[in-house]
Amino acid sequence: MLYDQWIRRERKIRARILGSSPEMKEYGRCRVCSDCGELCLCHELICPNCGSDRISQEVLADRDTELVRGTRMRLRRRFEQLRSNDILGRGTGA
Ligand SMILES: [Zn+2]
């Protein structure tokens, strides 16, 4: 599976999870990677995009736009891991 297809689906799922968290609803607050700005889910101790463990709470200036566009949901590291474990199928390129 190609990254573009995969990330589109992942972004939808993550946007739904992030958007439904009480912290986000109430304060627009979310866990953000200090190194690359990735929006992290509450159970993620390591950034799924760059692998950093420097994650802190931040208030998003425009949460609705963030969640719809998903520009800070890239998950590069997660994707590489899936690909190297061959979960996404062999020889898909991306
Ligand atoms: Zn990061």
Side-chain angles (χ1 to χ4, degrees), residues 17-88:
I17 297 170
L18 288 170
S20 68
S21 95
E23 283 282 302
M24 182 69 98
K25 276 192 194 158
E26 194 122 347
Y27 313 104
R29 203 156 53 198
C30 168
R31 297 173 72 246
V32 176
C33 173
S34 304
D35 288 327
C36 75
E38 187 84 352
L39 307 181
C40 302
L41 303 183
C42 57
H43 65 274
E44 288 171 335
L45 302 176
I46 299 259
C47 170
N49 186 55
C50 74
S52 169
D53 63 355
R54 302 199 316 132
I55 295 170
S56 59
Q57 291 272 2
E58 248 180 56
V59 174
L60 302 182
D62 188 348
R63 64 183 148 172
D64 295 332
T65 308
E66 290 268 15
L67 293 181
V68 170
R69 284 161 133 196
T71 44
R72 295 209 278 167
M73 298 182 225
R74 292 153 295 182
L75 306 167
R76 281 286 175 189
R77 180 186 152 94
R78 174 82 38 85
F79 184 75
E80 291 306 323
Q81 280 173 339
L82 291 175
R83 207 166 51 159
S84 64
N85 291 336
D86 205 23
I87 291 167
L88 300 172

